[in-house]
Amino acid sequence: MPKDSGIGASSKRREDVRFLTGNGNYTDDINIYGQTHVYFLRSDVAHGRIKNIDTSAAEAMPGVVRIFTGADFEGIGSIPCGWQITDRHGQPMQEPAHPVLAIGKVRHVGDPIAAVVAESLAEARDAAEALNVDIEELPAVVDMKAAVKDGATKVHDDLTSNLCYDWGFVEDNKGAVDEAIKSAAHVTTLELVNNRLVANPMEPRVAVGDYNRSNDEHTLYTTSQNPHVIRLLMGAFVLGIPEHKLRVVAPDVGGGFGTKIFHYAEEAFCTFAAKAVNRPVKWTASRSEAFMSDAHGRDHVTKIELALDADNNFTAVRTETYANMGAYLSTFAPSVPTWLHGTLMAGNYKTPLVYVNVKAVFTNTVPVDAYRGAGRPEATYQLERVIDKAARELGVDPIKLRRQNFITEFPYATPVAVEYDTGDYPATMDKLEEIADLSGFEARRKASEAKGKLRGLGVNCYIEACGIAPSNLVGQLGARAGLYDAATVRVNATGSISVMVGAHSHGQGHETAFPQVVAEMLGIDESMIDIVHGDSSKIPFGMGTYGSRSIAVCGSAMVRATEKIINKAKKIASHLLEASEADIELKNGQFTVAGTDKSVAWGDVTLAAYVPHNYPLEDIEPGLEETAFYDPSNFTYPSGAYACEVEVDPDTGKVTIERFSAADDFGNVINPMIVTGQVHGGIGQGIGQALLENCSYDENGQLLSASYMDYAMPRASDVPFFTVDHSCQTPCTHNPLGVKGCGEAGAIGSPPAVVNAVVDALQSGGHKNVTHIDMPCSPSRVWAAMNG
């Protein structure tokens, strides 16, 4: 019977009340007395040398407060990168400067050249149009493989080339992998593109800078997934503001999907300018600005080879990937195609040898960084596509081939340096076959054929690594920050609780799920617990929300802090009940003496903590507040199996998704309804990538998909009703909740399922020569594949 409260209950999301009634408090809702507005003049060429910026006419325009150019930021720090990669030769990556406003050169369409601060946005925009900018246009570098050839135009003149790094992993495996592929009974090779995406959260990025001259304190209100990280990066490395003089607030945030993790130039500008003009400065991105200034996602070109022996056992995997960094290194960009991608190339399979080579390349395009899944979708896509191709080449069932090669014993040390603690891949595949009714597929295929449509079935598996950790390990791998998290549990005198967390909620439902954990531990009602997040002046130093880490890392810190609360409360209760502390039990909000009917209520103990009349102060301090930091000992490893059925119109190439099923293992589940919603959203985004979305540039570096007129977003009519199951639970063994993370799974598992289904539909319809179609599988691409 479903629970009605606590861990495992589908409690309704309490935050939805304010969102659905229009009472959310987003950054754009924040308006400060005396504020000004900034408009950024952005480059309309992809690569050019700034010869001159004449601001005189613009400065005379009505309402203009001040105009800033790159000259105002000479001597100011560069936007920092948070991860350094060491290449396969032991050399650090090339790391160019990233100025707040362009200095000397522009390097992508959308690079900010100047900023006009004015009394109103309209006046700022008008003045920006009066700026006279002389730019000498230079050849643009767009194609990654061309960018690393000898003689290619350099994006950054001070670097030796456009190659950021050439990474190999595990380098010691390379010789053995090469030999295994050379001697294999069968080798399947696939070349593919993981298409560039724009995250497009519902709320665009916003920044409001404020400065208090009386105490020299700065406040930045921003659309961020991790306010403490922004405070550290911007304060210490860009503007030189001591952390105790800088407050960063991320209020309600309307979606992030990774793109709001990073520190952006606009945040630094608004903070800097607020002091320079001694007035608040506000910027809200237009949707067009978002397309050319938000970090993009994916953009990999890969060749993958899968070697099998005569019995169809996987013997080796070798990949070579070109990963686009764009014009500058975004906060976590170098880690995405390396440690978040290469370490997952074993997948769910017992392949003994894996070698991953990644060449990260600078181009005259918008920087690329983490997007929902971040490296894990790229790894899963190439692996699951090549397995499907191998099954077709060998004439074996793709599910049977996967089952044969599943890892079945845990813990399992992969050849790419990670250890899976738990999992049951045959069980998730069993559940998938059940919920997807795969036994009835042939009948559905015949029904589609009777309508003149081609029907295909695509199946795949995935595994992801969540809660990147531990800090000492990732530090050795190049991370320039810790990856722990923190929580403070403050119990009020009347028993209600405020929990201050380092994680940030921007759609995950923390305000509902986190109280379920604390309520379960204390035996009190969830309504007595409030979650505080997003304000660096109120919360402990935490690393924010991304990588499906919130419940596994911050949730574990919350458990540890609550355990400290319970231990101290038991001490107080023991004095109130005149019993030994060892005999005190807490259940259903009551402290009892074991084996007796003596008890005291939670509220009585909390009141005594603040009115200490009944216990010796030399033994117990007054108050009831505890903080805990939690640094995981390992990743968590959610996994699953997905199935997609599509219909293809042979006359037009249009693909329609008819059925989609997902069987996931997330370990213990705190709130099943929220988890289901997270999977639904992830699948929707994965379908968007597989069928619709594509961020493209022409050879001159002009962004061809800079609005919704040219960038196709998934709509309700593009997705079916999903069948989702997460009953296959193998709890994580190394965090106190046994949880694994769920926020990115749908986006990881769905793209290969869709493409596998499209290829299956075409092959079953007689197009045996079609072995792969690059995403998005648009009608034109599918029609072209069918027609040679």
Side-chain angles (χ1 to χ4, degrees), residues 446-481:
K446 287 183 172 60
S448 294
E449 290 172 352
K451 299 186 296 181
K453 301 292 179 66
L454 307 179
R455 195 178 189 103
L457 170 65
V459 172
N460 71 277
C461 301
Y462 80 89
I463 187 166
E464 71 164 317
C466 302
I468 307 169
S471 293
N472 62 346
L473 171 62
V474 296
Q476 295 170 36
L477 301 182
R480 289 166 167 166

Side-chain angles (χ1 to χ4, degrees), residues 679-714:
V679 175
H680 282 191
I683 294 172
Q685 286 184 279
I687 289 172
Q689 178 177 11
L691 295 184
L692 299 159
E693 299 182 51
N694 192 38
C695 179
S696 60
Y697 287 85
D698 69 10
E699 66 276 9
N700 298 314
Q702 289 296 324
L703 183 58
L704 300 177
S705 48
S707 75
Y708 291 141
M709 295 293 289
D710 303 296
Y711 187 93
M713 293 284 287

Side-chain angles (χ1 to χ4, degrees), residues 324-547:
N324 205 331
M325 295 289 100
Y328 305 102
L329 290 178
S330 182
T331 306
F332 290 128
S335 68
V336 174
T338 51
W339 299 114
L340 299 183
H341 157 250
T343 53
L344 271 294
M345 282 310 304
N348 307 65
Y349 310 104
K350 52 190 177 187
T351 312
L353 293 166
V354 177
Y355 179 72
V356 179
N357 175 243
V358 177
K359 296 175 176 66
V361 183
F362 292 112
T363 63
N364 291 120
T365 63
V366 171
V368 179
D369 208 321
Y371 170 72
R372 198 169 190 170
R376 285 68 60 93
E378 294 90 321
T380 298
Y381 181 67
Q382 57 190 278
L383 186 60
E384 292 298 318
R385 280 295 298 123
V386 80
I387 291 172
D388 234 52
K389 187 169 186 272
R392 295 188 184 283
E393 291 174 353
L394 295 166
V396 300
D397 177 73
I399 294 179
K400 181 179 178 182
L401 182 61
R402 287 175 168 86
R403 285 185 178 275
Q404 176 181 335
N405 286 281
F406 275 157
I407 297 164
T408 55
E409 296 183 1
F410 295 87
Y412 179 83
T414 75
V416 278
V418 294
E419 183 175 280
Y420 305 160
D421 59 333
T422 59
D424 191 340
Y425 310 146
T428 52
M429 183 62 80
D430 290 344
K431 178 57 68 173
L432 177 71
E433 293 197 45
E434 173 194 330
I435 65 175
D437 184 26
L438 297 191
S439 61
F441 172 71
E442 287 304 326
R444 294 191 292 274
R445 173 176 272 169
K446 287 183 172 60
S448 294
E449 290 172 352
K451 299 186 296 181
K453 301 292 179 66
L454 307 179
R455 195 178 189 103
L457 170 65
V459 172
N460 71 277
C461 301
Y462 80 89
I463 187 166
E464 71 164 317
C466 302
I468 307 169
S471 293
N472 62 346
L473 171 62
V474 296
Q476 295 170 36
L477 301 182
R480 289 166 167 166
L483 289 168
Y484 53 83
D485 222 295
T488 295
V489 177
R490 177 181 298 158
V491 183
N492 299 310
T494 55
S496 63
I497 297 173
S498 294
V499 182
M500 284 69 77
V501 295
H504 185 276
S505 185
H506 41 275
Q508 292 81 4
H510 295 173
E511 294 175 40
T512 301
F514 283 7
Q516 290 181 246
V517 173
V518 177
E520 176 95 0
M521 295 179 69
L522 299 177
I524 64 176
D525 193 270
E526 297 164 18
S527 64
M528 295 177 65
I529 303 161
D530 194 30
I531 302 299
V532 179
H533 66 93
D535 186 336
S536 66
S537 68
K538 296 179 180 179
I539 61 175
F541 193 108
M543 302 310 295
T545 293
Y546 46 84

